Amino acid sequence: MSNDWWRTATIYQIYPRSFQDTNADGVGDLNGVRYRLDYLVWLGIDAIWLSPFYPSPMHDFGYDVANYCDVDPLFGSLDDFDALVSAAHAKSLKIIIDFVPNHTSNEHPWFLASSSGRDNPLRDWYLWRDAQPDGGPPNNWFSHFGGSAWSWDERTQQYYLHSFLPEQPDLNWRNPQVRAAMYDVLRFWLRRGVDGFRVDVISHIVKDAAFRDNPANPNFAGEGPDIARLAQTYSSDQPEVHDVIAEIRRVVDEFPDRVLIGEIYLPIERLVAYYGKELGGVHLPFNFQLLDARWDAATIANIIEMYEAALPPGAWPNWVLSNHDRPRIAARVGAAQARLATMLLLTLHGTPTLYYGDEIGIGHVDIALERAQDPWGMREPDLGVGRDPSRTPMQWDASAFAGFSTREPWLPLTPDFATRNVATMREDDMCILRLTSKLLHYRHAHSALGIGSQRLLHASDHVLAYERLQGADQILVALNFCHDTRSFSLPNGLSGAVALSTHSGRSGERVPAKLELRGDEGIVIKIG
């Protein structure tokens, strides 16, 4: 077994705009992350993943990058970033940052040059194409944020491709000069001490060379965002992307002990290809199967078995429950089952990624129309695709603005922030925050949960149970996915005591052969 740190780490995603404001502008910043490092140590986190903080016009809140090698003044400075890395490393915390290679801002100097004329040396750094004979766009591709993926440039009389907003033109990754420039970006941050990258929409960066029309999506039911109308056959997941990713990996491997993570929304059988030939791709292709899964024991068990069976030899699994683009887990399954979901995430085989605020059970936050910020939600307002509810500020205490800021935050807080906050919940031994911290520290203390094997034991009558095993360290996890009491019989020969429960009053309890689980209860049993 490799001793790569990311195999046993728990990654904690921070959306910097929403974590901690230290300069009273209602928006979080890098100094705010540094200010809260002790909390992350207390919680039991190993690595911090920061969503973009680069200079940007903020049409897509930093995913429209205008300069890959600096910090937007909204978030601080390069000195602030260096101070954060130094402070994090002093506390044995790793720093992972977002790398956004598919597109830049339309205000990036590269695009300003590319769009200045067809004869500009950087013209081929982006994807320009002539109009159809009728003047229409080159093909039928949709933007992920609604409407055509092509915008007309009047000055040069061609269309340019933007898989997201028109202000986010796609780079041409078939151009070796683009690749070389982007690899220098990676080295810039690696030299500053970052411990790895989460690569945004990595499966999109290479498009079909012939720009063929995408076929209709046979599963589209007639309602939903534009992007769902077509199968992304030619606009994403092209065979050549794996050669490019192998190059990216070689750059990252120039520096020891770094990790490469890929954002990839694909079925399991296509997802696992991103580990690469001879595992020379991304170390962790994000496994998002739980984000859309039906929340029941049989479905989750099936996902676990399919995923584990599909992993190439030597590949390391990973699990995600929430992120900045999808509804939070508590919004999807409710407060009681969110506790169960936390236990699932932090005991499964593989590296877990925990989204900020999930540890205090933030759920859906209603965003009034006048407070809406997300460009996708505003471009397709009737579809409920807005991502603002998943990006609301972290809630630290019961003071005005929840200790996040001294002024009105950029997005609203939860209505119950006076009780749903870190300071209050740290005093409640049975709340989801304390449960999360206990699970994380228990995970650190037991190699079975860090690197141990996994065996599915039971998946019926709403109960999912599995075993984690590493040498003499043996742990059993049992989860009740319904609101009523359910029972589960331990396999012959196994006995132990309850180490952790999502409910009160069970710690240390010896487990009988037939275990009774209360509604919404999950337990961790130390066998022996």
Side-chain angles (χ1 to χ4, degrees):
M1 170 61 68
S2 168
N3 62 357
D4 295 314
W5 61 265
W6 43 266
R7 294 176 183 264
T8 57
T10 297
I11 299 169
Y12 184 89
Q13 182 190 358
I14 290 176
Y15 197 67
R17 295 181 68 91
S18 295
F19 200 60
Q20 178 68 65
D21 172 21
T22 61
N23 62 355
D25 63 357
V27 176
D29 44 58
L30 294 180
N31 284 332
V33 178
R34 179 158 58 98
Y35 178 72
R36 295 295 183 180
L37 290 179
D38 284 342
Y39 162 75
L40 298 177
V41 172
W42 169 84
L43 187 61
I45 294 302
D46 303 290
I48 301 163
W49 154 32
L50 297 171
S51 294
F53 49 78
Y54 308 109
S56 167
M58 300 294 166
H59 292 289
D60 190 23
F61 297 108
Y63 285 94
D64 48 325
V65 179
N67 182 348
Y68 284 103
C69 297
D70 206 347
V71 174
D72 193 288
L74 184 71
F75 300 118
S77 66
L78 275 174
D79 286 343
D80 294 330
F81 178 82
D82 292 340
L84 170 59
V85 172
S86 178
H89 286 170
K91 298 177 187 297
S92 299
L93 293 168
K94 305 290 188 181
I95 295 288
I96 299 165
I97 66 173
D98 250 23
F99 177 51
V100 187
N102 181 72
H103 47 265
T104 69
S105 165
N106 63 345
E107 297 183 24
H108 195 291
W110 297 345
F111 188 74
L112 294 177
S114 182
S115 61
S116 67
R118 293 196 185 194
D119 58 350
N120 188 278
L122 271 63
R123 182 66 172 181
D124 191 48
W125 282 41
Y126 294 83
L127 296 166
W128 297 92
R129 289 295 179 273
D130 290 332
Q132 296 276 18
D134 64 359
N139 64 25
N140 69 349
W141 296 358
F142 282 117
S143 159
H144 284 261
F145 289 161
S148 174
W150 298 93
S151 281
W152 179 252
D153 179 61
E154 189 65 32
R155 185 195 312 193
T156 61
Q157 295 288 293
Q158 279 189 316
Y159 282 93
Y160 67 88
L161 180 70
H162 54 88
S163 296
F164 295 88
L165 294 175
E167 294 86 0
Q168 294 170 290
D170 283 26
L171 284 162
N172 178 14
W173 273 81
R174 293 182 184 273
N175 184 326
Q177 293 176 318
V178 169
R179 296 203 300 271
M182 294 299 269
Y183 300 160
D184 284 343
V185 169
L186 294 172
R187 294 185 182 100
F188 173 87
W189 293 106
L190 289 163
R191 292 184 184 114
R192 297 194 96 88
V194 303
D195 299 288
F197 300 94
R198 173 268 191 187
V199 186
D200 187 57
V201 293
I202 195 170
S203 59
H204 284 59
I205 61 177
V206 177
K207 280 77 176 177
D208 176 54
F211 290 89
R212 285 170 283 185
D213 279 353
N214 278 327
N217 178 4
N219 298 316
F220 183 67
E223 294 183 0
D226 285 344
I227 192 64
R229 296 174 182 273
L230 303 176
Q232 307 304 300
T233 305
Y234 298 113
S235 53
S236 178
D237 192 31
Q238 299 304 291
E240 301 93 327
V241 74
H242 298 289
D243 294 331
V244 176
I245 292 172
E247 289 185 4
I248 294 173
R249 171 66 179 274
R250 286 194 288 272
V251 172
V252 172
D253 284 349
E254 293 172 11
F255 298 77
D257 300 323
R258 303 313 207 265
V259 67
L260 188 63
I261 304 169
E263 182 195 26
I264 304 158
Y265 284 93
L266 288 172
I268 288 173
E269 67 274 9
R270 291 162 63 192
L271 169 71
V272 296
Y274 284 78
Y275 284 103
K277 296 176 181 177
E278 299 178 359
L279 300 183
V282 295
H283 296 99
L284 299 174
F286 261 153
N287 169 20
F288 294 134
Q289 304 306 309
L290 295 180
L291 294 184
D292 297 312
R294 180 178 172 182
W295 197 250
D296 63 61
T299 300
I300 303 301
N302 187 51
I303 288 172
I304 292 169
E305 290 200 302
M306 287 178 59
Y307 178 58
E308 289 278 350
L311 290 170
W316 188 249
N318 71 92
W319 296 94
V320 180
L321 275 179
S322 301
N323 63 31
H324 62 291
D325 287 329
R326 295 297 186 95
R328 287 185 176 275
I329 184 62
R332 302 199 310 270
V333 303
Q337 284 286 311
R339 299 165 63 85
L340 188 93
T342 300
M343 183 170 282
L344 174 75
L345 176 71
L346 299 181
T347 58
L348 279 173
H349 179 220
T351 301
T353 296
L354 181 67
Y355 187 46
Y356 87 96
D358 278 359
E359 75 271 28
I360 59 172
I362 293 178
H364 178 78
V365 183
D366 289 324
I367 310 291
L369 186 61
E370 62 271 17
R371 295 292 303 274
Q373 303 280 342
D374 179 37
W376 187 13
M378 290 189 284
R379 283 167 66 92
E380 299 189 282
D382 299 326
L383 299 178
V385 295
R387 299 166 294 174
D388 292 330
S390 300
R391 301 174 176 186
T392 59
M394 185 63 176
Q395 299 173 176
W396 296 104
D397 58 41
S399 66
F401 312 124
F404 166 75
S405 180
T406 57
R407 58 165 288 182
E408 184 75 26
W410 76 289
L411 283 174
L413 303 163
T414 68
D416 62 347
F417 79 86
T419 54
R420 190 172 299 284
N421 64 72
V422 170
T424 299
M425 297 175 79
R426 279 182 76 159
E427 302 304 314
D428 179 0
D429 189 58
M430 288 311 302
C431 72
I432 190 171
L433 174 61
R434 292 287 296 274
L435 173 67
T436 304
S437 183
K438 290 174 184 178
L439 282 163
L440 285 166
H441 287 283
Y442 194 81
R443 181 182 176 89
H444 285 151
H446 291 273
S447 59
L449 293 180
I451 59 174
S453 61
Q454 181 169 281
R455 179 169 67 107
L456 188 66
L457 300 176
H458 184 89
S460 66
D461 194 28
H462 303 288
V463 174
L464 170 64
Y466 47 91
E467 177 188 57
R468 301 294 312 278
L469 180 65
Q470 178 67 20
D473 193 20
Q474 188 174 8
I475 289 169
L476 189 150
V477 181
L479 307 168
N480 180 4
F481 281 75
C482 76
H483 304 313
D484 302 317
T485 299
R486 287 292 186 273
S487 61
F488 160 66
S489 296
L490 269 66
N492 290 337
L494 291 186
S495 63
V498 175
L500 293 169
S501 170
T502 58
H503 290 32
S504 61
R506 299 200 77 161
S507 181
E509 173 189 318
R510 291 299 299 180
V511 177
K514 189 171 186 179
L515 169 68
E516 193 168 90
L517 293 168
R518 289 168 285 185
D520 306 307
E521 184 176 26
I523 62 171
V524 174
I525 301 168
K526 182 68 174 75
I527 299 299

